[in-house]
Amino acid sequence: MRKLNGKQRLDRRDRDLSRRTFVEASASALAFSILPREVLGGRGHVPPSDKLTLACIGVGAQGTRVMMDFLKQPDVQVTSVCDVNRESSDYSEWGKNELRDKVRALLGDPGWGSQLTGPTAGRDPARQIIEACYGKNQASGRYRGCAAYSDFRELLSKEKDLDGVVVCTPDHWHAPISITAMKMGKHTYCQKPMTHSVYEARRMSQVARETRVATQVAVVNSASEATRQLSEWIAAGAIGPVRRVENWSSRPFWPQGIERPGATDPVPAGFDWNLWLGPAPERPYCHVYLPFVWRGWYDFGTGAIGDMGQYSFDTIFRVLKLTAPRAVEASSTQLFKESFPSASIIRFEFPARGDRPAVDLTWYDGGLKPARPAELEDGREMGEEHEGLLFIGDHGKIMCSFHGEKPCLIPESKMRAFVPPPKTLPRSPGHYREWIEAAKGGAAAAANFEFEAGVAETILLGNVALRTGEKLRWDSAKLEVTNLASAQALIKSAYRGEWGKAVEAS
């Protein structure tokens, strides 16, 4: 939603009042158009004409979590949802009843989902959550204003008044849906990793720049206090010029390093397998591909670094002001034709930037870690919960958790003697608020597509090096691997049928 002049605001208000979402409460809606908000809604009430109308595309477990975060925003109205799955109770969650309990907390209903047999998501549960959430604010206690679709194209065609979309699908769908939405003038929020291929990262950045819609990748690091704190410490010379960074992840905790199964399974009722595949090559349905475990397959996911690297690399890029890498190489456990290896090490070489030296960044996953720093005291954990970040400068080291949180100089004696520099960088109003305000005409969100394209390009180039087993020389300006033709072929995904048209330049 862009800034509106007086006439546009009246036109917009008339449009919003005609939406089906307010038909059942037409008397109240008309009242909002003629009475001050304080009279009807109380302090802080946001009238319908001032709300950002959103559709949530992809409402599995993670998509439902993100949807609920947007439902908490007072100036957002989620009007439609889309998922190829009608409903199932087999989703992954972060703890027993984690998803159900988050819904209960949102709705203030301790009995919600008592009949469910497991973590439940899909387009029907998503619609029920939305209508229950908005129903709390209706005199009748009911709300019937959310539409549900299985195909995002139908949603975008029918939901004419949408301001934006929230894309939380598997990785291989990010670019086709996001680019289609941006070309239709919709503000676009997309799950991490930003894209499935290096080429798609460049295209999403280009389309964002051309359409000038508000964009954001789901990378909370960009808004974090920790990222700003690290930036200020290193800029102030806390450890001198930084030449090396070590980054380790406990992922994957889904199956990788396996062959395609020979067995097939019946397609579950209410699930559109062909549409889930979308741009990916056709194959028979099997439960080993979803939910969530699609991350380990080349055709659908981007492995451990794709799942988590857009987080940590976002912080590293911002703190060190990195540009595109000039070379990448990788080593791993056994390679497989269609799935990522079970563990890997990927090394990135970044060029000098002005008076900042060249940087070597090493990624570890699958339980692999860098050597323990000599400065770290015996018995003290390296990083946090088997993950972490280590910045290595000419005059010291900073150790952090994976997202850059809890930074500290090591050894502890150095941290005790350290006097932090003053805060010089502007602080964020919050991850979601940045995108919402950008959609209303404010400044671009920090994790916008043009910035995050460079991060996505880097981590996905790491996957190309992983699959080829060769050191790659990279020309970012040309989007070209200069020394290996077989690697160049992996820079761009192959698309099934007509799906490539959604991504290609028009």
Side-chain angles (χ1 to χ4, degrees):
M1 184 167 62
R2 301 172 179 84
K3 289 184 177 178
L4 307 177
N5 61 36
K7 181 179 183 302
Q8 288 172 327
R9 185 171 294 278
L10 288 173
D11 291 343
R12 174 62 179 277
R13 179 168 297 179
D14 290 339
R15 232 178 15 250
D16 286 342
L17 290 174
S18 70
R19 291 183 60 81
R20 66 177 182 281
T21 53
F22 297 100
V23 168
E24 291 185 1
S26 57
S28 296
L30 289 172
F32 279 126
S33 69
I34 58 175
L35 294 176
R37 70 185 68 181
E38 292 82 1
V39 174
L40 292 173
R43 184 176 299 277
H45 180 81
V46 181
S49 57
D50 289 344
K51 290 190 176 185
L52 191 70
T53 55
L54 299 182
C56 292
I57 302 174
V59 282
Q62 181 61 14
T64 297
R65 294 181 189 104
V66 173
M67 178 192 79
M68 289 192 287
D69 285 340
F70 278 108
L71 288 175
K72 298 171 186 175
Q73 304 297 322
D75 47 355
V76 164
Q77 185 86 15
V78 181
T79 61
S80 51
V81 296
C82 178
D83 201 286
V84 298
N85 185 29
R86 185 181 65 231
E87 177 178 344
S88 63
S89 297
D90 57 353
Y91 284 89
S92 299
E93 55 184 349
W94 306 123
K96 185 175 176 58
N97 296 323
E98 171 253 342
L99 196 59
R100 184 203 69 184
D101 290 348
K102 284 180 177 175
V103 178
R104 288 181 173 183
L106 173 74
L107 302 180
D109 180 359
W112 188 92
S114 298
Q115 79 285 4
L116 300 177
T117 59
T120 302
R123 63 180 180 271
D124 282 358
R127 174 168 56 183
Q128 292 161 13
I129 293 167
I130 291 167
E131 294 187 341
C133 181
Y134 292 147
K136 295 187 301 178
N137 299 321
Q138 300 294 325
S140 65
R142 296 177 307 184
Y143 176 87
R144 295 292 181 270
C146 180
Y149 300 87
S150 62
D151 192 324
F152 77 95
R153 296 167 297 183
E154 182 183 10
L155 181 151
L156 290 173
S157 173
K158 291 184 176 180
E159 298 293 316
K160 304 293 187 183
D161 294 340
L162 279 180
D163 293 311
V165 299
V166 178
V167 181
C168 292
T169 61
D171 300 351
H172 69 296
W173 265 118
H174 287 183
I177 296 175
S178 295
I179 290 174
T180 299
M182 286 190 288
K183 287 182 176 179
M184 295 178 71
K186 310 302 181 186
H187 305 300
T188 305
Y189 178 100
C190 183
Q191 257 302 323
K192 53 78 192 170
M194 179 175 166
T195 62
H196 188 238
S197 73
V198 174
Y199 172 80
E200 289 177 345
R202 187 64 54 89
R203 280 294 297 141
M204 281 178 66
S205 174
Q206 290 173 343
V207 175
R209 185 163 54 251
E210 292 165 0
T211 59
R212 301 181 68 183
V213 297
T215 61
Q216 188 175 43
V217 179
V219 180
V220 296
N221 300 49
S222 64
S224 75
E225 175 65 20
T227 295
R228 286 155 177 77
Q229 190 176 32
L230 275 167
S231 298
E232 289 162 347
W233 287 15
I234 289 176
I239 57 173
V242 175
R243 302 179 191 274
R244 284 177 51 206
V245 182
E246 310 278 5
N247 184 200
W248 59 104
S249 170
S250 61
R251 264 55 165 193
F253 49 75
W254 53 85
Q256 288 189 182
I258 55 177
E259 299 287 1
R260 180 193 289 211
T264 62
D265 295 314
V267 177
F271 177 69
D272 191 330
W273 171 241
N274 183 61
L275 190 53
W276 187 91
L277 285 174
E282 187 173 1
R283 67 172 69 196
Y285 172 79
C286 182
H287 73 279
V288 300
Y289 302 128
L290 72 160
F292 192 73
V293 291
W294 49 263
R295 288 196 176 280
W297 298 90
Y298 292 153
D299 285 344
F300 315 129
T302 49
I305 195 170
D307 179 43
M308 295 299 289
Q310 190 113 28
Y311 288 134
S312 55
F313 279 46
D314 177 277
T315 291
I316 298 165
F317 264 63
R318 294 179 193 279
V319 170
L320 300 182
K321 303 188 184 308
L322 297 181
T323 57
R326 60 190 178 193
V328 186
E329 62 180 326
S331 58
S332 73
T333 53
Q334 182 182 352
L335 292 175
F336 288 80
K337 183 179 180 181
E338 297 190 50
S339 69
F340 289 93
S342 56
S344 64
I345 299 174
I346 308 175
R347 301 175 181 86
F348 302 84
E349 298 176 11
F350 294 91
R353 294 90 55 227
D355 60 353
R356 294 173 180 252
V359 173
D360 290 335
L361 165 58
T362 307
W363 164 272
Y364 305 80
D365 62 45
L368 302 177
K369 294 181 180 181
R372 184 179 177 86
E375 297 90 339
L376 193 60
E377 296 84 356
D378 290 345
R380 187 175 173 189
E381 183 181 5
M382 187 170 72
E384 186 177 45
E385 297 182 348
H386 311 293
E387 299 184 312
L389 260 176
L390 184 67
F391 291 88
I392 302 171
D394 288 353
H395 308 306
K397 298 175 182 177
I398 296 176
M399 186 178 69
C400 328
S401 68
F402 184 86
H403 294 269
E405 296 168 328
K406 302 178 183 177
C408 58
L409 278 68
I410 56 174
E412 192 173 319
S413 58
K414 277 199 170 183
M415 188 64 206
R416 286 196 299 266
F418 177 58
V419 178
K423 295 181 178 181
T424 56
L425 298 175
R427 266 45 186 177
S428 170
H431 172 71
Y432 293 113
R433 293 310 311 172
E434 285 189 19
W435 183 63
I436 292 168
E437 295 303 326
K440 292 180 175 183
N448 64 79
F449 288 178
E450 292 182 64
F451 179 89
E452 295 297 338
V455 180
E457 173 185 321
T458 300
I459 62 176
L460 298 176
L461 189 62
N463 275 340
V464 174
L466 187 62
R467 294 175 65 176
T468 61
E470 301 285 344
K471 184 169 185 175
L472 310 181
R473 303 291 178 184
W474 181 239
D475 185 332
S476 180
K478 295 181 179 179
L479 214 65
E480 181 181 333
V481 177
T482 60
N483 65 320
L484 191 66
S486 60
Q488 185 62 28
L490 298 175
I491 296 300
K492 182 179 179 181
S493 300
Y495 300 100
R496 183 167 65 114
E498 301 294 307
W499 289 111
K501 291 182 179 179
V503 178
E504 299 292 348
S506 57

